[in-house]
Amino acid sequence: MLSSNPTNSHGSQHLTGTDLEELQLAFKSAMAGVATPVSVITAIKDGKAHGTTVSAFASLSLNPPMVMVALDRNSDLLSILRETGEYGVNLLGVEHSEWASAFARKGPDKFTGIPWTVENGLPRLAGACWIACSVESLVDGGDHVIALGSVLNIDLGESKPLTYYQRTFGTHAPI
């Protein structure tokens, strides 16, 4: 159990040192138990394709259709979204686990060997469920920024979704 610390003006506790480290480890373990869709978020800047793997993606609104994706505050892709105001969501299928790993790496040339085209002015990975978005707003969220996107175009994929659960790729299986 975490020890009590002084509260801030909102009544929540500030944790420091060992307490914070313990909470962060428990949080990571808890979140590993949540199955999430694996997506590659893409954008184009100055004619060059950029992309990164995320597991923090969800639908937000039906009217109007909106999604949200969380990007690391220091992400190169986030700075591109700030400039271009648009992004693509490539919801990967179970056969795309190697792509998820490739786009999770740092550095250039993430698209090498991966088939893609430009759709709606954004990089679209072949065979992935595709959602083109315009950035409605960017919301701070700790060490991440949440990009709220208005959906401009959708093209459904046909494969089973790639998910991330217990630090392993997999897919959904009906009960």
Side-chain angles (χ1 to χ4, degrees):
M1 176 165 212
L2 299 175
S3 63
S4 179
N5 287 304
T7 59
N8 66 17
S9 62
H10 301 290
S12 61
Q13 294 183 346
H14 290 288
L15 299 176
T16 59
T18 304
D19 289 341
L20 179 59
E21 291 171 13
E22 287 177 14
L23 182 61
Q24 288 171 330
L25 286 173
F27 181 76
K28 285 173 71 174
S29 293
M31 292 301 99
V34 177
T36 61
V38 181
S39 306
V40 172
I41 307 304
T42 57
I44 289 183
K45 180 181 174 193
D46 299 329
K48 182 170 173 35
H50 300 269
T52 192
T53 300
V54 301
S55 59
F57 163 79
S59 64
L60 177 62
S61 170
L62 180 61
N63 188 17
M66 293 180 73
V67 298
M68 59 184 175
V69 62
L71 296 167
D72 185 285
R73 183 171 298 286
N74 298 315
S75 163
D76 292 336
L77 190 63
L78 177 59
S79 65
I80 293 168
L81 266 61
R82 288 184 193 279
E83 288 181 43
T84 66
E86 56 189 12
Y87 62 93
V89 179
N90 296 269
L91 290 159
L92 301 184
V94 67
E95 69 276 14
H96 302 134
S97 62
E98 290 181 11
W99 295 1
S101 297
F103 282 96
R105 292 189 311 260
K106 296 283 186 194
D109 303 324
K110 294 180 182 183
F111 288 82
T112 300
I114 297 174
W116 63 281
T117 58
V118 174
E119 189 165 325
N120 294 94
L122 298 163
R124 177 183 179 180
L125 305 183
C129 176
W130 167 250
I131 305 172
C133 301
S134 65
V135 176
E136 282 301 310
S137 63
L138 299 170
V139 180
D140 286 339
D143 57 8
H144 279 63
V145 172
I146 303 159
L148 304 180
S150 289
V151 175
L152 303 173
N153 189 14
I154 296 176
D155 189 7
L156 303 177
E158 295 182 18
S159 63
K160 291 184 178 184
L162 182 64
T163 59
Y164 194 66
Y165 172 73
Q166 294 295 346
R167 299 176 180 91
T168 304
F169 292 125
T171 193
H172 171 73
I175 297 175

